[in-house]
Amino acid sequence: MASTFKVLVFDLGGVLLEWDRHSVNALSPGQFLTIMNSTTWHSLDRGIVTLKEACKDFGHILGVDPSIVETAMDQAQLSLRPNPSLLRTVQDLKASRPDLKIYVMSNISREHFKMVQNLDLSWSLFDKAFASGLEGMRKPDLRFFQHVIEETRVHPSEIIMIDDTAENICAARSQGMHAILVDKSLPSVGGILLNLLQDPLQRAEVFLKGHAGNHHCIVEGHEEIELKDNFAQLMIWELTKDEDIIYFQWPCGKMNGAHPFWNGHLNGHSTGQSNGQSNGQSNGHLNGNASMTPDVENGHLNDQSNGHLNGNAFVTSDVKNGLWNYFFEAPVLTTREFPPDADTTSTAYLSLPERYLSMIPDVHLVLDKMATNLDLDGIMQTYFDPTRPRTTPEVCCNILRVFHRFGLGSDPRIKKTEDYVVDCLHHNACLDGNRHYSTLESFLYFVARLYAETRSESLRKRLNAIKTKLQERLNVPTNPLALALRLFACQAVEMDPQLYRQDLDTFVSLQDEDGGWPAGHFCRIGRTGARIGNRGLTAALAVRILQREKRDA
């Protein structure tokens, strides 16, 4: 997805330079607008009349003394200040793309252009400035755009024009240029330029590494809360295979992650608290007591532990050590005591590298637990807690993924759960989400993964409708995280890339200046319905999506 743009053309006023309209008090806003729309102003822009001559005519138009107009013009000029944020972006772009040519194209009188050249605008960044008063042409004159295109010596399709006037944007586009309208109600120009000119994959990878250990969830309406959960972390781990960028808490209460706080609590100082996790486990003390956690060194499992820690056997026969809790820390926005669940547990066993599986309870113990944790319809439930009878289609998908991953895809105990997932798919049961998930895309994502991963041809045939359901969702507006889930699902079922091209372009355009994406949402706090998103999860999905696009290009 390399950029084909070679030239940037910036306007001055309202783009590279900002001015304070309130500082102009010699004339009212209405009076200033009147003279700006006069033919005399156009002549001033083109250098046909001097500033002195123009002010005399403006005075006549407004019925005021020309000196008042001169004062207003001076006030406007003196209020001009460089746009530091945009200039930093331009500097970064030039540093990353030394071959990029950068120009100024502005409607400005000769006198005023001379004044702005004294401003600290990092003029050395620009290859040339096209000032209307010196060129004898003004925007939106098409000949002015044609002149700039000829001077840059590139095809107009390789030029990006940045302006704050829709009329000028229209003219630029009519000549084949790519144009960006600067408006406070629209996304930032800096972000748009980065998306157009830099590799989104590389930027996403830098974001994930740069925010290692800080990929927390965001709850809509509760932005002040830093929601730290195991579930999103494990999803990120499954996508990236990178343990260094996530954190999580083992079922025994032991913490694992890149943050120094957690590393400082790993060797003999861990409290092993369950943080409200009502799974009846021990505190997991490390010195002289039996521990129910694998050896951890510097925030990572020690591959040499062979299931032992400080000389004590690690208890892998207790199924409770294989049941994972959603929350990393104390539960928030729900009950103080929160049980382990099948969704996080399934995702853990799907995410953990092979070398870790011998250090935790055998997956078959956990699968047996799931297979006996049924609702009244015989469907496997979300929580390992009889006081929370919940059945969730997405959770059922992940349970089925684990059964199929570990060779139990034909186990008769999963038949009713499988039927339930298939029925939900065929009848659009999750069109409006459900208690625990906020978008249809969440369900389609997990179904697509099940479809792609299973070796059961009969199940693949039953789930084949996933392709049609995804096509029905293409180009339907949604939040960034849901869009990423949709795109990943499309790739997982081998959909023709041309079908989801518009969605992909939309998604890439949403990339933030720091390389991540807005958090969006994909699941909910069941108790309140508050929607949960995660910028790290969106970025992890983006990396996989863009890697696939790059591979298949």
Side-chain angles (χ1 to χ4, degrees):
M1 304 181 71
S3 170
T4 60
F5 296 110
K6 299 177 180 178
V7 170
L8 301 181
V9 181
F10 288 92
D11 187 20
L12 282 175
V15 180
L16 290 172
L17 296 174
E18 300 170 327
W19 70 290
D20 183 6
R21 288 170 171 78
H22 300 293
S23 67
V24 181
N25 53 34
L27 293 176
S28 70
Q31 289 175 314
F32 213 91
L33 190 62
T34 296
I35 62 175
M36 287 182 68
N37 283 286
S38 68
T39 55
T40 300
W41 187 282
H42 297 175
S43 296
L44 177 63
D45 277 346
R46 294 189 179 100
I48 297 172
V49 298
T50 66
L51 180 58
K52 193 79 173 176
E53 292 168 339
C55 286
K56 183 178 180 180
D57 198 31
F58 293 150
H60 177 73
I61 293 172
L62 297 175
V64 301
D65 191 278
S67 63
I68 295 177
V69 180
E70 290 179 13
T71 299
M73 299 286 271
D74 288 342
Q75 288 174 336
Q77 285 299 123
L78 291 172
S79 75
L80 288 172
R81 295 289 183 273
N83 181 337
S85 175
L86 183 55
L87 283 171
R88 280 195 298 272
T89 299
V90 176
Q91 290 168 342
D92 291 344
L93 288 171
K94 187 67 174 179
S96 64
R97 289 273 307 272
D99 60 325
L100 189 67
K101 300 296 182 181
I102 305 175
Y103 299 90
V104 166
M105 181 186 184
S106 179
N107 286 347
I108 188 169
S109 69
R110 287 170 292 180
E111 295 89 342
H112 287 151
F113 183 60
K114 187 175 181 179
M115 293 173 65
V116 300
Q117 285 180 297
N118 294 320
L119 295 175
D120 183 18
L121 196 61
S122 304
W123 289 100
S124 60
L125 281 172
F126 303 96
D127 292 272
K128 184 175 180 179
F130 298 95
S132 63
L134 298 177
E135 303 295 338
M137 299 171 274
R138 72 183 297 272
K139 297 176 288 186
D141 298 345
L142 296 185
R143 64 194 187 107
F144 195 9
F145 289 94
Q146 292 162 358
H147 171 65
V148 171
I149 291 169
E150 290 173 5
E151 288 288 314
T152 61
R153 298 182 180 181
V154 299
H155 192 273
S157 64
E158 298 172 320
I159 301 174
I160 300 175
M161 174 75 194
I162 303 97
D163 201 288
D164 67 333
T165 305
E167 186 178 22
N168 298 339
I169 292 295
C170 180
R173 289 173 178 162
S174 77
Q175 300 306 295
M177 300 167 75
H178 186 95
I180 301 171
L181 177 64
V182 178
D183 189 296
K184 292 191 188 315
S185 66
L186 300 174
S188 75
V189 175
I192 295 173
L193 288 174
L194 289 171
N195 292 342
L196 289 171
L197 293 165
Q198 292 188 343
D199 182 2
L201 172 56
Q202 182 180 28
R203 293 175 61 211
E205 291 172 333
V206 169
F207 172 83
L208 283 173
K209 291 286 188 182
H211 292 76
N214 289 291
H215 296 299
H216 312 313
C217 284
I218 297 173
V219 185
E220 285 187 352
H222 300 275
E223 285 74 12
E224 75 284 358
I225 294 176
E226 246 183 19
L227 175 57
K228 298 179 182 179
D229 72 323
N230 289 315
F231 184 60
Q233 302 303 310
L234 291 167
M235 286 187 69
I236 293 171
W237 196 4
E238 182 182 22
L239 289 162
T240 65
K241 313 301 181 189
D242 189 350
E243 181 182 352
D244 292 332
I245 65 174
I246 63 161
Y247 56 83
F248 56 90
Q249 182 176 156
W250 295 91
C252 65
K254 191 70 175 296
M255 296 179 180
N256 197 77
H259 196 284
F261 172 81
W262 305 319
N263 292 343
H265 286 63
L266 294 179
N267 295 312
H269 300 290
S270 172
T271 63
Q273 294 173 355
S274 64
N275 291 328
Q277 301 173 17
S278 56
N279 52 19
Q281 298 172 52
S282 75
N283 290 335
H285 297 298
L286 303 183
N287 294 318
N289 299 307
S291 172
M292 292 194 290
T293 180
D295 191 16
V296 186
E297 185 175 279
N298 298 323
H300 299 279
L301 281 170
N302 185 339
D303 294 344
Q304 305 303 317
S305 66
N306 295 320
H308 291 77
L309 183 63
N310 295 344
N312 297 311
F314 168 49
V315 183
T316 59
S317 59
D318 188 346
V319 70
K320 292 178 181 178
N321 266 347
L323 306 183
W324 291 66
N325 196 289
Y326 174 83
F327 290 101
F328 172 76
E329 295 182 331
V332 297
L333 303 175
T334 185
T335 56
R336 290 183 62 186
E337 298 294 323
F338 201 81
D341 65 272
D343 212 7
T344 309
T345 298
S346 296
T347 306
Y349 277 89
L350 291 165
S351 305
L352 288 171
E354 183 70 27
R355 66 184 185 275
Y356 289 177
L357 294 179
S358 63
M359 304 176 185
I360 58 176
D362 185 83
V363 67
H364 294 89
L365 291 174
V366 174
L367 296 180
D368 287 342
K369 182 73 172 178
M370 292 178 177
T372 57
N373 184 36
L374 307 176
D375 69 3
L376 296 177
D377 296 308
I379 300 168
M380 287 182 275
Q381 298 188 93
T382 300
Y383 294 106
F384 298 107
D385 184 346
T387 69
R388 292 179 187 249
R390 309 273 189 268
T391 304
T392 312
E394 294 85 352
V395 180
C396 289
C397 284
N398 284 328
I399 293 172
L400 292 173
R401 289 176 63 204
V402 181
F403 270 86
H404 282 261
R405 172 74 62 85
F406 290 93
L408 295 179
S410 60
D411 191 321
R413 297 176 298 176
I414 68 173
K415 182 64 167 61
K416 289 185 178 180
T417 301
E418 181 181 301
D419 291 343
Y420 177 56
V421 168
V422 171
D423 287 342
C424 288
L425 175 65
H426 283 268
H427 301 298
N428 293 321
C430 300
L431 184 61
D432 299 306
N434 49 57
R435 180 183 177 90
H436 292 107
Y437 282 90
S438 58
T439 71
L440 174 59
E441 274 71 20
S442 300
F443 176 67
L444 297 179
Y445 169 80
F446 293 122
V447 172
R449 295 208 69 146
L450 175 60
Y451 173 88
E453 294 164 7
T454 182
R455 285 171 287 188
S456 168
E457 288 303 318
S458 62
L459 179 57
R460 283 176 65 89
K461 185 175 181 180
R462 298 188 75 196
L463 295 177
N464 196 55
I466 181 63
K467 299 177 181 179
T468 301
K469 300 303 179 182
L470 282 169
Q471 287 191 45
E472 291 172 354
R473 292 295 288 178
L474 294 177
N475 306 323
V476 174
T478 190
N479 72 82
L481 178 47
L483 186 54
L485 293 169
R486 181 193 300 169
L487 289 165
F488 187 99
C490 288
Q491 291 180 337
V493 301
E494 304 292 341
M495 185 182 291
D496 181 351
Q498 291 306 313
L499 295 177
Y500 59 79
R501 179 60 50 189
Q502 183 176 329
D503 271 347
L504 180 61
D505 290 343
T506 298
F507 179 67
V508 172
S509 74
L510 297 174
Q511 192 170 19
D512 288 331
E513 291 190 42
D514 64 1
W517 274 261
H521 60 85
F522 77 117
C523 62
R524 303 181 194 271
I525 299 287
R527 188 179 183 86
T528 66
R531 301 186 300 192
I532 303 172
N534 188 297
R535 297 189 72 213
L537 177 56
T538 310
L541 287 160
V543 167
R544 287 288 299 273
I545 293 163
L546 296 172
Q547 284 175 338
R548 174 71 177 266
E549 287 297 304
K550 187 175 183 179
R551 187 193 76 191
D552 295 346

